Amino acid sequence: MDTGWLEALNRRIVQCERCPRLRNWCLEVAGRRRRAFADWDYWGRPVPNFGDPEARIVIVGLAPAAHGANRTGRMFTGDESGNWLYRALHEAGLASQPHATHAGDGLRLRHTLVTAAVHCAPPQNRPLPDEFDNCREWLRTILRSGPPWRVAVTLGQMAFRETLKALRECGTGPDIPFSGFRHGAEFPLPEGRRLLCSYHPSQRNTYTGLVTREMLRQIFERARTLAEL
């Protein structure tokens, strides 16, 4: 297949200006920075997708972190959620290394693409309904005409909900209730694909033990099995 689709889509995402509240917030955070990152030149724009353009596994998160991906310009890079995610992917054989510190750190994903329901960092990590709606086009493009994916892994209930909405808008949406989300839940999709649920590796979830490293590793090992890798 033509793998240039990902580069073309990412260019459109980075140039997006649909949500003034989010764009203003990203720029504000980039301007004042956090003391620990005072010497960083923050990305401060919509964060593009990251990974293999021929992925068989698509991972859907919520949104970039203000001082994580909004700083580094790469999904789940530069914060604790990303540390958990990429360690689990590495342990499952889907990432070249277990850490993600900056966009040039050499990390490569195998058979895996990481995206988000919203591509700009939102205030208080809470996108508004119209912001989800504005950004869903990018997720629809991936699910409908992007990589030859077999498994979609949703990180958290909001990502699960937005993935279901995107699938329905693509005309392939299954009759799955939003309330069906739970860690480890699996749902069949058309064409033999599967939807796999995981708790988000946020600090709130990892600090409280709601999700453990073993739980997260098992999710991606299961994703590999479902994707026949």
Side-chain angles (χ1 to χ4, degrees):
M1 66 174 295
D2 178 12
T3 59
W5 72 268
L6 182 58
E7 183 178 349
L9 177 61
N10 282 342
R11 283 198 301 268
R12 293 177 62 202
I13 289 171
V14 170
Q15 295 168 1
C16 182
E17 298 281 346
R18 296 176 182 175
C19 303
R21 185 184 81 110
L22 298 187
R23 298 302 309 115
N24 290 339
W25 175 249
C26 290
L27 291 172
E28 179 183 337
V29 171
R32 55 183 170 85
R33 309 176 189 178
R34 180 174 283 174
R35 181 176 298 178
F37 307 121
D39 59 343
W40 274 78
D41 183 13
Y42 274 51
W43 174 257
R45 288 172 280 171
V47 178
N49 306 294
F50 170 57
D52 186 349
E54 298 188 65
R56 292 178 65 84
I57 299 171
V58 173
I59 300 171
V60 185
L62 174 59
H67 299 281
N70 185 57
R71 170 172 59 90
T72 64
R74 192 175 70 189
M75 286 288 182
F76 280 97
T77 298
D79 58 30
E80 276 302 301
S81 294
N83 291 339
W84 277 67
L85 175 63
Y86 290 122
R87 177 181 295 207
L89 290 174
H90 179 68
E91 291 172 349
L94 297 171
S96 62
Q97 61 194 40
H99 55 270
T101 56
H102 57 90
D105 60 14
L107 175 64
R108 297 291 182 270
L109 300 186
R110 305 183 184 104
H111 314 295
T112 305
L113 180 72
V114 180
T115 187
V118 171
H119 285 261
C120 290
Q124 300 180 328
N125 204 33
R126 295 179 181 177
L128 299 177
D130 64 317
E131 293 162 350
F132 279 117
D133 293 343
N134 288 342
C135 220
R136 202 174 305 119
E137 174 187 349
W138 316 128
L139 184 54
R140 286 199 308 270
T141 299
I142 290 173
L143 297 176
R144 180 178 57 228
S145 56
W149 65 277
R150 306 304 301 164
V151 182
V153 180
T154 58
L155 301 179
Q157 190 165 15
M158 299 298 283
F160 174 71
R161 183 197 70 181
E162 291 303 308
T163 301
L164 286 180
K165 287 184 177 181
L167 287 167
R168 290 168 184 168
E169 290 171 1
C170 289
T172 58
D175 186 19
I176 301 170
F178 295 151
S179 60
F181 174 85
R182 68 181 188 281
H183 186 82
E186 298 179 21
F187 301 95
L189 300 175
E191 301 179 9
R193 291 168 165 169
R194 304 286 290 186
L195 184 61
L196 179 59
C197 301
S198 173
Y199 290 139
H200 192 287
S202 65
Q203 288 189 340
R204 179 177 60 184
N205 289 344
T206 58
Y207 283 176
T208 60
L210 184 63
V211 61
T212 66
R213 294 195 186 279
E214 178 67 11
M215 290 168 63
L216 204 58
R217 180 182 62 80
Q218 289 176 352
I219 286 290
F220 293 113
E221 288 181 347
R222 180 59 178 162
R224 281 199 64 141
T225 297
L226 294 172
E228 300 180 349
L229 295 172

